[in-house]
Amino acid sequence: MEKPAFETDCCAVNVVLGEEKKGHLIPNGNGHQAGVNGSLIGGAEGTGCGAAPGTMSSVEKPVPGYPEREQWTRQMDFIMSCVGFAVGLGNVWRFPYLCYKNGGGVFLIPYLIIGVVGGIPIFFLEIALGQFMKAGSINVWNIAPLFKGLGYASMVIVFFCNTYYIMVLAWAFYYFIKSFNATLPWSTCDNPWNTPSCIEIFHHEDCLNGTIGNTTYGNMTCEELADGRSPIIEFWEHKVLNISQGLDYPGSINWELLLCLAAVWVMVYFCVWKGVKSTGKIVYFTATFPYVVLIILLVRGVTLPGAYDGIMYYIKPDWSKLGEAQVWIDAGTQIFFSYAIGLGALTALGSYNRFNNDCYKDAFMLALINSGTSFFAGFVVFAILGFMANEQGVDISQVAETGPGLAFIAYPKAVTLMPMPPVWAALFFFMLLVLGLDSQFVGVEGFVTGILDLFPGKYYMRYKREISVAICCLMCFIIDLSMVTQGGMYVFQLFDYYSASGMTLLWQAFWECIVVSWVYGADRFMDDIARMIGYRPFPWMKWCWSFITPCVCMGIFLFHLFNYKPLTYNNTYVYPWWGEVIGWCMALMSMLCIPVSVLYKLCRATGTFKERWEKLTKPQWGPHHLEYMAPDTDVKSLASLSASTEDKVIIFESGM
């Protein structure tokens, strides 16, 4: 039942009347909302109407108001943006490999368990926090200002992510351009970059049957055929990457790849520069088109010889794997990686929601879509890998791989087997481009939102957003120049392994749970969510934030730390010591933001430790809390309501 707006005898609310009660904005005696156990940020200058007898009133110095925050045109814009961001290349190239590596269908058991106790609770936490605080990844931690370093840490991680992730899009765009040839350049061995070992057809079955003599095929014996290399691999390594001997041999710039990189950054810029009003429309295409192509590839893949064996390798359970710690670690890392937790972008997307949007249901639906896409993509991948293994006469373990190799070796092979290969190749690599593009521009949106939230209304400048997006894109582009050289793949792997790795995301997620559940208060935040969505979420969420999820995060984090192995490329090249130092510096740049900022603020504050702690953990409310908090909402009464309750409490919206 909708609550009527309460009457006021003053023309505007300009004074914050403090009353200590659980830190929420509550009504004072005259019907006005008051900032409680926290200060109100934003608002106009002026005088207020007196406090009710017996309450303590204090006039806060007003802070210049923030401009009205943008909102999604419709709620489906938010859903599609989250799908586009969270469902990315990691679902297509990483999950299927991990599933095969860790016991096939058995891997789903730890994957689902860790998803329920770790992934979904933090996924919901980040979206709900952004929606409640109406702020990006930095200002959202005004809920506990002492730990604002969490926001800076997520900004560092997402900046690094934006910097190196776009290289995958540049490679996809490069393949897309090369697809417009009558003969695909990676399907033949008569190109300048091919070596004498290049073989288009392997003839393994004929060799096994003894029907090929020593000189029947290209003057090569069966032993030499066994050591042959596919033109697809040679195109990737010798033409696209033109890879050097190591990290200390950067070599020359690949100018074709540089132009592709510039073109992709231009696309990202024009997707983001106008904010969520434009971004929310673009994702309708970028989030749904990849599913169409994946379905088409699956239909074609299951008709190929060897596809059944490939799919069986994917889903056949190996129950003995459940007892291995590495299986559970891989499941946890993949959950945090594919759900895009700890990057701050989910918080930014949630901040553009309506205050009373049901983010609880949204979180479960988005998690289901994310994990379902990963599982579905596995059938597509392993149907194709099964065919490749059958064609080459080798075990599938020799063709199953993860990372860029899967996207740019296994899939290109699949499209060459279809009628009119150039058409399918262009379609596939366009899908790969849009699959990563929405993840990329939502990541940039999250970074820019966090930056702009630091500058309130008094710093308003025309085209502020457009200029900020341009600066962000330009900075990332300059760093990316190191990845379009001959040694660029080594730099790319360095960023991927350290800057936005499982350890940094787990560290971030651990502190998010600790701050919300133990500093701000899990019960308080559950009350806040109840005020937003009209009912209290199942207590499982509170238990996860308080106990289970932090233990899971820290356990996997420590396992990673104790079982650390130096970075290698293709299991052969070992990175030099100074390369590892650079990698650890990138990881620590985000991880140290949290403890360093806490120590700095505590040292700068005055008073006893208890006084400093109370002052620095006091929430800073925004003006929207004053507007939306109902003066007579009994949060405790919402405990009996469930998500399916017909009579939902509609949160009060003031006409002030």
Side-chain angles (χ1 to χ4, degrees):
M1 174 174 146
E2 188 171 352
K3 296 179 181 294
F6 64 86
E7 297 180 357
T8 64
D9 33 64
C10 293
C11 58
V13 177
N14 303 314
V15 177
V16 178
L17 299 177
E19 183 175 337
E20 302 292 334
K21 184 179 176 183
K22 292 196 72 175
H24 299 301
L25 290 170
I26 63 168
N28 63 29
N30 286 342
H32 295 299
Q33 299 273 7
V36 184
N37 199 18
S39 58
L40 179 70
I41 56 175
E45 292 187 20
T47 57
C49 318
T55 64
M56 179 179 64
S57 65
S58 61
V59 180
E60 299 280 349
K61 183 178 180 180
V63 180
Y66 290 83
E68 185 177 353
R69 193 170 191 81
E70 287 183 287
Q71 286 191 352
W72 301 107
T73 305
R74 57 184 66 86
Q75 193 54 32
M76 187 54 67
D77 295 358
F78 165 71
I79 298 295
M80 298 305 290
S81 294
C82 285
V83 169
F85 179 62
V87 177
L89 297 172
N91 301 73
V92 176
W93 78 19
R94 196 164 184 266
F95 177 85
Y97 173 78
L98 289 177
C99 207
Y100 154 75
K101 171 191 168 188
N102 293 299
V106 166
F107 182 70
L108 293 176
I109 296 174
Y111 179 83
L112 292 174
I113 291 174
I114 296 180
V116 171
V117 302
I120 294 176
I122 302 182
F123 193 84
F124 172 52
L125 171 69
E126 292 195 356
I127 292 176
L129 200 57
Q131 182 172 309
F132 178 66
M133 295 301 291
K134 290 287 182 186
S137 56
I138 296 178
N139 277 354
V140 76
W141 294 105
N142 282 334
I143 199 168
L146 176 62
F147 293 90
K148 219 168 183 178
L150 271 165
Y152 294 111
S154 65
M155 293 288 281
V156 172
I157 296 173
V158 80
F159 177 77
F160 282 140
C161 227
N162 292 338
T163 300
Y164 82 86
Y165 188 83
I166 199 154
M167 280 308 304
V168 183
L169 309 188
W171 294 328
F173 191 58
Y174 184 83
Y175 272 80
F176 176 69
I177 298 299
K178 293 294 183 180
S179 299
F180 292 95
N181 291 290
T183 302
L184 294 175
W186 57 83
S187 63
T188 63
C189 286
D190 54 359
N191 301 290
W193 57 82
N194 291 127
T195 66
S197 301
C198 182
I199 301 174
E200 294 178 25
I201 304 175
F202 284 83
H203 294 281
H204 284 292
E205 291 184 2
D206 292 333
C207 275
L208 292 173
N209 296 332
T211 57
I212 287 187
N214 287 345
T215 59
T216 304
Y217 182 74
N219 294 325
M220 298 180 72
T221 65
C222 284
E223 289 77 10
E224 291 171 329
L225 286 173
D227 296 328
R229 304 194 78 210
S230 165
I232 298 172
I233 296 176
E234 293 207 338
F235 178 79
W236 167 246
E237 292 185 351
H238 299 157
K239 175 62 176 173
V240 180
L241 300 180
N242 192 17
I243 197 163
S244 66
Q245 303 97 307
L247 185 63
D248 43 355
Y249 294 96
S252 58
I253 289 178
N254 184 333
W255 293 102
E256 290 182 330
L257 205 55
L258 178 63
L259 291 175
C260 292
L261 177 66
V264 174
W265 268 121
V266 169
M267 282 187 258
V268 170
Y269 176 78
F270 285 108
C271 287
V272 177
W273 72 322
K274 289 298 183 184
V276 296
K277 298 295 184 184
S278 60
T279 304
K281 304 297 181 293
I282 297 168
V283 290
Y284 278 87
F285 173 73
T286 59
T288 55
F289 178 75
Y291 288 96
V292 177
V293 181
L294 282 174
I295 291 171
I296 295 171
L297 286 174
L298 177 64
V299 172
R300 173 56 179 161
V302 295
T303 62
L304 296 171
Y308 175 79
D309 294 331
I311 292 175
M312 285 298 101
Y313 262 97
Y314 173 51
I315 61 175
K316 184 179 179 181
D318 180 0
W319 297 103
S320 65
K321 291 283 188 178
L322 277 180
E324 298 180 12
Q326 187 61 50
V327 176
W328 293 82
I329 301 305
D330 283 346
T333 304
Q334 176 61 16
I335 282 287
F336 285 87
F337 180 81
S338 64
Y339 280 28
I341 288 168
L343 301 177
L346 294 175
T347 304
L349 295 177
S351 72
Y352 297 117
N353 279 337
R354 293 175 294 105
F355 187 78
N356 56 358
N357 170 64
D358 194 343
C359 54
Y360 185 56
K361 288 181 179 177
D362 289 349
F364 279 95
M365 178 175 62
L366 290 167
L368 182 64
I369 293 172
N370 192 311
S371 297
T373 302
S374 298
F375 187 62
F376 171 71
F379 287 94
V380 183
V381 171
F382 275 85
I384 295 166
L385 293 180
F387 167 75
M388 290 180 66
N390 180 76
E391 182 199 33
Q392 297 177 21
V394 298
D395 189 83
I396 195 171
S397 62
Q398 297 182 35
V399 295
E401 52 185 311
T402 186
L406 181 60
F408 297 103
I409 294 175
Y411 279 4
K413 180 64 180 177
V415 297
T416 62
L417 305 170
M418 298 185 177
M420 298 184 295
V423 175
W424 286 102
L427 186 65
F428 168 75
F429 286 110
F430 185 66
M431 177 208 74
L432 207 62
L433 182 63
V434 299
L435 190 65
L437 192 61
D438 48 12
S439 297
Q440 179 71 23
F441 68 65
V442 173
V444 173
E445 173 68 44
F447 180 80
V448 172
T449 297
I451 294 295
L452 293 180
D453 280 352
L454 295 176
F455 302 99
K458 72 175 182 179
Y459 297 104
Y460 174 78
M461 180 181 66
R462 194 178 183 187
Y463 304 124
K464 180 170 68 172
R465 163 173 277 277
E466 290 85 342
I467 293 171
S468 300
V469 174
I471 293 173
C472 171
C473 293
L474 183 61
M475 288 172 59
C476 292
F477 176 76
I478 292 172
I479 299 174
D480 287 333
L481 294 178
S482 64
M483 301 185 201
V484 294
T485 62
Q486 289 176 278
M489 176 53 93
Y490 302 110
V491 180
F492 174 85
Q493 271 212 326
L494 203 62
F495 271 80
D496 184 46
Y497 193 74
Y498 290 101
S499 66
S501 65
M503 280 203 300
T504 56
L505 299 181
L506 290 164
W507 177 260
Q508 182 79 5
F510 170 80
W511 283 106
E512 286 181 7
C513 291
I514 293 299
V515 172
V516 170
S517 58
W518 294 103
V519 178
Y520 180 71
D523 286 318
R524 289 174 65 184
F525 192 57
M526 291 285 278
D527 291 346
D528 297 333
I529 294 171
R531 285 189 167 91
M532 289 194 297
I533 67 178
Y535 60 92
R536 290 178 66 86
F538 188 65
W540 172 257
M541 286 294 173
K542 181 180 68 174
W543 302 335
C544 285
W545 297 335
S546 302
F547 306 104
I548 304 173
T549 306
C551 291
V552 169
C553 292
M554 188 50 63
I556 300 176
F557 174 84
L558 292 175
F559 184 89
H560 268 294
L561 199 59
F562 295 145
N563 292 273
Y564 169 77
K565 295 178 181 179
L567 178 61
T568 61
Y569 177 72
N570 267 358
N571 295 320
T572 54
Y573 173 75
V574 180
Y575 278 67
W577 67 268
W578 56 268
E580 288 194 66
V581 170
I582 294 173
W584 275 108
C585 286
M586 288 192 291
L588 292 174
M589 281 178 69
S590 62
M591 294 171 67
L592 290 179
C593 283
I594 303 167
V596 168
S597 66
V598 169
L599 292 174
Y600 175 77
K601 289 187 177 184
L602 285 173
C603 291
R604 289 292 303 272
T606 58
T608 64
F609 178 81
K610 183 179 179 182
E611 291 171 343
R612 298 182 193 190
W613 178 269
E614 290 179 351
K615 180 181 178 181
L616 292 172
T617 56
K618 184 183 296 184
Q620 295 177 337
W621 302 124
H624 69 282
H625 294 107
L626 184 68
E627 178 181 358
Y628 285 111
M629 290 298 184
D632 54 346
T633 299
D634 182 4
V635 178
K636 299 300 180 185
S637 67
L638 299 176
S640 60
L641 296 176
S642 65
S644 59
T645 304
E646 293 297 327
D647 272 342
K648 292 177 69 174
V649 176
I650 298 179
I651 298 305
F652 166 81
E653 296 187 19
S654 166
M656 294 188 296

